[in-house]
Amino acid sequence: MNFLTRFSLKNAVAVFIISFLLILGGAYSFSNLKVDLLPNIEFPQVSVEVVYPGASPDDVNEQVTTKLEDKFKGIEGVKKVSSSSYESIGIINLEFPFNADMDKIEQQLNTFIKDAKLPDNVQTKVNRFSFGSFPIYNISLFAKGDTDVERLLDESIIPELNKIQGINSVSVGGTKEDLIRITVDKEKALQYGLSLNAVKEQINAKFLSFPAGRINVNELQVPVRVEEKLGEVEKLENLQLTSPLAKQGAPGTAPTLPLLKDIAKIEAVTEQAEKTRYNQKDSLSMAVTKKQDANTVEVADKVTEVLNKYDDQVDYAIGFDSAEGIKSSVETLVKEGLLGALFASLAVLLFLRNIRATIIAIISIPLSLLFAAIFLNRLDISLNIMTLGGMAVAVGRVVDDSIVVIENIFRRVRRSKDGMSDELVEDSTREILMAITSSTITTVVVFLPLGFVGGITGEFFLPFALTIVFSLLASLLVAVTVVPILARFSFKKVPKEEEETGLQRFYARAIAWSLNHKAIVIISSFVLLFGSFAVVPSLGFTFIPNEQQKTLVAAIELPASTSLDKTNDVSLKLEKMFADKKEIKEVTTGVGSRDFTTGLKRENKANYFINLKEGTDVTSFIKELEKDMQRITDAEATGTKLGVQELSSGGPPSNNNVDIDLYSNDLEALQEAAGKVEAYMKKNKDLKYVSNNFTEKQKQYLVEIKPEKASEYGLSGFQILGTISDQTTPVSVGTLKLDGKDQNVQLSYDKELSSLADLEKVTLFGQRGPVALTEVANVKEVESFTAIQKLDGKVYARVSAQIQGDNTQKVTQDVVNGVKDLKLPKDVSLEGGGGSDETVKTFQDLGLAMLIAIGLVYLTMLITFGKARIPFIILSSLIFVPIGSLVSLFLAKEPLSVSVMIGFLMLIGIVTTNAIVLVDRIGQNRDKKGMPIRESLIEAGKTRLRPILMTAFATITALIPLALTTSSGTLISKGLAITVIGGLTSSTLLTLIIIPVMYELFFRKQAKQER
C-alpha cells in the first residue's frame, strides 16, 4: 500500500478533492439513511389465522387446526408448530431457521391450506412477522365542534394517509356502525312458520339484478337485464312475505299473507362493537403500521403533517409513539459518539502536545464514519441503535491508524537534521505500514465469524459489525493517504525531540527486570487471570440486561361471555383509578378491541396503553397498580384476570423468560397442574408477569340431536342448527341500497333466549309441522374449555414469567427444579426452560466465533510476518484480556450478556493491534538493524510506548461516555463499552511486559547465544 502514500504526496490536490467529494457523498448518504430503532429483520415466523364462524374450540381444533398442523409438519425446516383453537377462530404459528426462504414457505402454506379440505365457510389468512409489523403510532382522535370524525377519516384522512410512501395499514377502532335493524316478533313469526333465514331469503329475493340474455334489434345485440329493488325503507316495511302456514280466508279467496311490518319492527340504529377512550374521554383510536423497509421517523412525521392539516376539524393525542423513542435513542447515541470523539481528541493532544498533530490524527474520525455511511446507504441498512452503536464504538478505534502514522512522522521529523521532506514522510509511513495494515485487518476479520452465530443474534449484530468494518477500512485508507499529506504541510517547523522521557526510561528498566524474572512475571499474570474469574459467579448471566420502559401495557379479562356493556362499566372504574395516580401521564383504552397477543376481538376484554411520568420506579409501581386493579375487579366482576407489564420494545428477545410446558390429553388434569405451577411461580420473588395460557372453563348448553326422532319429523341437523342460531345471533341480510345509500341490514328476534328453559322451548318446523326442540334433542348444561392449545401436535399448557434479575440461568434452573418437586397429576408431563436455553446456545455460538476469530487473526499475522512463532507471541496478549473486563463488569454491576460477548470478540482485534505495533518494531530492529534480541526488545518498547498508549487511551476515552450512559436504548452498547475499556486497560499494561517476555522465551536459544 506504499504506492498510495507515494501517489498522495505527488497528487495532494487530487486527493483533497476526492476526500471532499467523499465527505459530500458521505453527508448525503448519512442524511438519506432510514431512521429506525432496530435493524430491518424479518423473523422466520409465520402465523395462519383461520376463521370458522360459530364453531366451538373443539370443532375448530378437530376440523381445522389439526388438519392444517398435520399438513404443515411436512414443510422442510420447520422448527416448531404451535396452535390455539378458540371459539370461531384458530391461530397456528410456525417457526423456521433464519436462512429459510420465507416466500417459498408462504407459497407452500397456501398450497397446503387449499389441499386440507377444510369446511366450506372457513376463511384463512397467512401473516409474516417482522419488526416492521409493530404499530408505530396509536392515536386518539376527537371531534371539534359538530365534525363527523368517522366520515372525515373515511373520506379524507385515511385515503391521504394511505398515499404516504411507507404506510402499510391504517386501522380505526371505536367506530360506530349505522344499520337497519329488523326486530322480528317471535310469536307472530312462529304463527306463520317463518324463521329469520326465511325472512332474509325473501328480502334478498327483492334485491336482484341479473343479465337475461340479448335481443337482436336492427342487427345490434341489445343486452337484457332483469332488476327488482325495493329502494326505500317504507317499501321494505310493506314487503309481502310468503308463509307455509298462511291463514286461509273464505272459500275461493287468497290466503292472508303478512307484510314484513306486521311481524317486525324496522328502525335505523347505531351500534358500537368496541369502545375506545383517551384519559376517560371518548375517542376514535387509530393504529398505523409501516412497511418493512420504511423510515419510521419519516413516516411518523408525515402522518402528523396530514393530521395537522385538519386541526380545525379534529383534535388528536398520541398514546403510543415509537418514533419518539427512536429519536431519543438516536440523539443519545449521537451525543455519546460526539463526546467520545472529543475525549479521543483530548487523549491524543495529551500525548502529542501539538494541536496540528492532534487535528491531523483525528481527521480520520469524520472521514471514516462518513465513508461508512456511503456503504450503509448502498446496502439499504438503516440508521438504528446497532449502526449508531457501531459508530460510537468505532470512534476510538478509527483514530488508531492515523495516530501511529502521525506519531511516527512527528517523531522522525523531530529527530531529522534535514527537516521535512516527501521522502521522510513516505519512509516514515512505510516503516509502520505493515503494522497498521495487519492490525486493521485483524480487527476486521474478527467480525467474520459472526456469520457462524446465526439466529436473531447474528442478524441483529450484523449492521453493528458492518459499520465497524467499513469505518476501520476507511480509517486505514485515510491513514496512508490524507494523513501523510497533512503532515507534510503541517510539520515544517517543529521543535527537536527531547531526550528520553522519564516514562520511557522507567519502561526500559521494567522490560529489563521482567526479562530477568520471567517466571515471576508469568506466574503473577496467571494469578491475576485466575483471580479475576472468581467474580464471574456474582456477575449474573443474561441475554440483554433488563431495561425499564416508561410505557405499560395492561389488560383485563372478565369471565367468558361477559357482555361489552359490563366490561365497559368495569373499565370506567379502572380508568378513574388510573386518573388519580400521580405517576400516570396518560391512558389509552380499548374495550372489546383486538387483544395484543392473539389479535382476537373479545367483548370480555379491555386493553390499556399507560404512559408513565419521568422518574417513576416502574417495578414497584406495577405491583401497586396490579393490587389496585385487582381490588376493583374483585368487587365488580369476580374471576377477572388481569396483567400489567412493560411494553416490549420489539428488539431482539430479552430471553429473560422462564417457561414451564405441561402436556396431557386429560384437560382437567392439565388445568389442575397449570394452576399449581402458576401459584408456585407467583410466590417466587425473582419472577414477574406470571401468565398461564390455559383458559378457564365456561358454562355451555349442549344440544344433542336424536337422529331417529329428527328423521321422523323430517328435520336435518342443519335445520335445527339454523333455527337455534337465529334466536341467539342476529342474522346479517347484507348491504342493501335503501333511501339512496348503502345500509347494513340485520335481523333478530324481539326476545332473546336467556336460560336453559328458553332453549328447551324453541319450536322447530319440520315436514310434519311444528315440534318442540326437546322432542328431537337432549338439551343439557355442560362446562367446556374456551381454548385448546397445542405445541408440535400435543395438547399443552404453558406457564410463563419474566425474570427480574440478571442471572437468568440460575433463576430458570431453580424454578424448573422447584416445579419438578410439586405434586402434579400422574398423567401430566412437563418440560422446563425458556430464554436461558437460547442464551446458553448463543453464548456457545459466540464462543465458537471467538475461537474462529483467533484462528483468522493467526492466519492474518502468519501471512504478514511469515514466521509461525510471531503470531503466537502476539496472541499471548489475549490471555489476559479477561482480567480487566471481568473486574470492570463486576465494579459496574453489569451482567454477562451478548453485548459483553461481542465486546470480547472486538477485543481480539483491538488488543492484538498493540502487540503487532510492538512486535513489528522488534522485527525491524533485528532484520534491518541487526540488533540482538534483548536490545531490540528494549528499543522497540521505548519507541512504540507512546503510540501504544495513545491508541489504547484514545479508544478507552472514546468509550467512556457510552459506558457511563444511563439513557434507555443504549444498554446494548453499555456492556460492550465496559468490557472493551476494562479488557484494553489490563491487556495494554500487561502487553507492554508480557510481549517482550514471551518473545525472548520463543527465541530463547538465540537470545542465550547472544548473551
Side-chain angles (χ1 to χ4, degrees), residues 783-823:
E783 286 200 334
S784 66
F785 294 99
T786 55
I788 297 171
Q789 321 271 356
K790 289 194 290 185
L791 181 63
D792 293 331
K794 294 187 288 186
V795 178
Y796 85 116
R798 170 170 288 178
V799 185
S800 301
Q802 286 188 26
I803 296 166
Q804 297 206 63
D806 286 324
N807 200 345
T808 55
Q809 190 181 27
K810 182 180 182 300
V811 174
T812 300
Q813 198 58 53
D814 290 345
V815 170
V816 173
N817 292 336
V819 169
K820 285 178 179 176
D821 292 336
L822 294 176
K823 290 182 179 179

Side-chain angles (χ1 to χ4, degrees), residues 136-173:
I136 60 169
Y137 262 155
N138 188 290
I139 304 171
S140 297
L141 302 151
F142 313 93
K144 274 189 176 178
D146 56 356
T147 302
D148 185 340
V149 180
E150 286 187 39
R151 189 173 177 182
L152 182 66
L153 282 169
D154 290 339
E155 295 178 1
S156 303
I157 295 177
I158 292 178
E160 203 165 331
L161 289 176
N162 285 327
K163 289 178 186 176
I164 296 173
Q165 193 173 3
I167 287 279
N168 181 43
S169 68
V170 180
S171 59
V172 179

